Amino acid sequence: MARGASSHFSLKRAEYDRYYPTVLGVLQNSGFLVLDAERTEDRAFLQGLPRTGEGPGIEIEIRRRPKGVDVHVLVVPHQDLPQEKGRFLMKQGVFGTLQSDPASDRSLADILPGLRRDEGERQVDPRFRRTPTNIPEWIFFNLKGGTMTWFLGTVIGLTGAAYLLFWAPEGPYRRNDPLMVGLLLVLAPWWSGIWGRSAARGLVAAFVTVAIPVTFYVVSALNWALPGLARNPQISMITVFLDALKGPAGIAVPVILGILSGIVGAIAGVIGGRIFPLQMKRARSSESI
């Protein structure tokens, strides 16, 4: 029964033709001498022995996939590797019968980081970043994380809600209660929420969009300050809540309406996230297979 260690992983962004010379370089830099190789259009085998003549040997199989490559690595004592050209221990199906070998485990751990490195996306030296690291990315209109669209959507939605409550011109539409409620508690939070591009951001955006202008409206309607902001005819839903919550308790109305609109914003945020997905941190380029 063979002794050694093995690993199997895939590189989703690697190209077969480019990855093959990368493996050759990793083997040479790791102290292996490539003694045998077999390569076809979609599959390659490499066999390496330690340059010093002592320690484990290695075999690597690379398989082309529609997206990326699959890599199989086998490390065994070099005496166990076949001596004949064109013969590879991998082809004999030894993976399922391997016994642990400490030296092979160490060699495998040393070489895997180099083999797993995916050159599909190069890392940028922080010194050469286009934006300073001590300044928030959204200030530079970096839309990848969604912060800027979330902020702008909330500001526009809040401005629209405030305009509807305080500055919109007079007209018959202001006496249409379903229309006014729909504009304030559905359309405005929907706009803010969809640009949040996630349920949590959508909820927060919609809450802010409705709660802030309604707070000023309620303060004026209760005659505490800001006279004249609560225009006639007043918004029916706000009036209903103010009649139910007498006196200082009326200050809870913005919170209640903010929560109701937050539900709308959360739904809109989910839909916005499907239409304009947030770009999260990339997953590791190598995955076990």
Side-chain angles (χ1 to χ4, degrees):
M1 186 176 292
R3 297 175 296 115
S6 64
S7 179
H8 315 273
F9 57 91
S10 63
L11 298 172
K12 298 300 184 182
R13 297 192 301 274
E15 297 181 10
Y16 175 77
D17 294 329
R18 293 185 178 182
Y19 186 68
Y20 181 84
T22 298
V23 174
L24 289 175
V26 171
L27 288 176
Q28 293 175 1
N29 292 336
S30 301
F32 290 97
L33 181 64
V34 179
L35 294 183
D36 198 3
E38 178 183 305
R39 183 179 180 184
T40 63
E41 288 296 323
D42 56 4
R43 194 175 185 184
F45 289 92
L46 292 165
Q47 185 183 93
L49 292 178
R51 291 181 181 274
T52 60
E54 298 180 356
I58 188 171
E59 287 188 357
I60 299 177
E61 179 188 6
I62 310 168
R63 294 184 183 181
R64 185 197 299 268
R65 293 301 184 202
K67 291 185 178 180
V69 296
D70 290 345
V71 184
H72 305 269
V73 185
L74 176 65
V75 181
V76 297
H78 72 273
Q79 301 90 343
D80 295 344
L81 292 176
Q83 302 299 317
E84 299 85 355
K85 288 288 185 179
R87 288 191 59 195
F88 295 89
L89 204 58
M90 281 186 168
K91 295 182 179 181
Q92 302 175 16
V94 300
F95 290 108
T97 59
L98 279 179
Q99 289 185 340
S100 178
D101 178 57
S104 299
D105 290 336
R106 289 193 297 269
S107 295
L108 180 64
D110 291 340
I111 199 171
L112 274 184
L115 294 174
R116 285 179 178 267
R117 185 176 63 238
D118 189 347
E119 298 294 346
E121 181 178 351
R122 298 183 181 274
Q123 297 295 324
V124 179
D125 191 319
R127 294 174 298 175
F128 297 98
R129 288 172 60 92
R130 290 183 300 171
T131 58
T133 56
N134 61 330
I135 299 177
E137 290 281 352
W138 62 266
I139 292 180
F140 296 92
F141 289 85
N142 181 357
L143 306 185
K144 293 181 180 179
T147 305
M148 192 62 184
T149 56
W150 182 27
F151 173 76
L152 290 177
T154 303
V155 170
I156 294 173
L158 190 153
T159 303
Y163 179 80
L164 177 69
L165 288 177
F166 309 133
W167 305 300
E170 297 292 344
Y173 71 94
R174 293 191 63 85
R175 294 176 175 80
N176 188 331
D177 292 337
L179 175 63
M180 295 297 290
V181 171
L183 292 174
L184 179 63
L185 297 184
V186 178
L187 183 60
W190 183 273
W191 169 268
S192 299
I194 200 169
W195 290 109
R197 296 155 66 184
S198 73
R201 288 182 173 187
L203 188 150
V204 173
F207 182 90
V208 170
T209 295
V210 173
I212 290 179
V214 170
T215 298
F216 289 101
Y217 186 95
V218 168
V219 168
S220 177
L222 293 175
N223 296 318
W224 290 351
L226 306 173
L229 277 184
R231 299 162 55 189
N232 290 318
Q234 296 186 355
I235 307 299
S236 61
M237 179 170 287
I238 299 178
T239 303
V240 168
F241 279 110
L242 288 177
D243 291 341
L245 301 173
K246 300 293 185 180
I251 199 62
V253 173
V255 177
I256 296 173
L257 296 183
I259 293 173
L260 293 176
S261 63
I263 298 173
V264 176
I267 297 173
V270 172
I271 296 175
R274 297 289 182 87
I275 301 174
F276 310 106
L278 292 174
Q279 182 172 340
M280 300 301 182
K281 293 182 178 178
R282 289 186 179 271
R284 293 180 59 183
S285 60
S286 58
E287 302 175 0
S288 298
I289 58 174

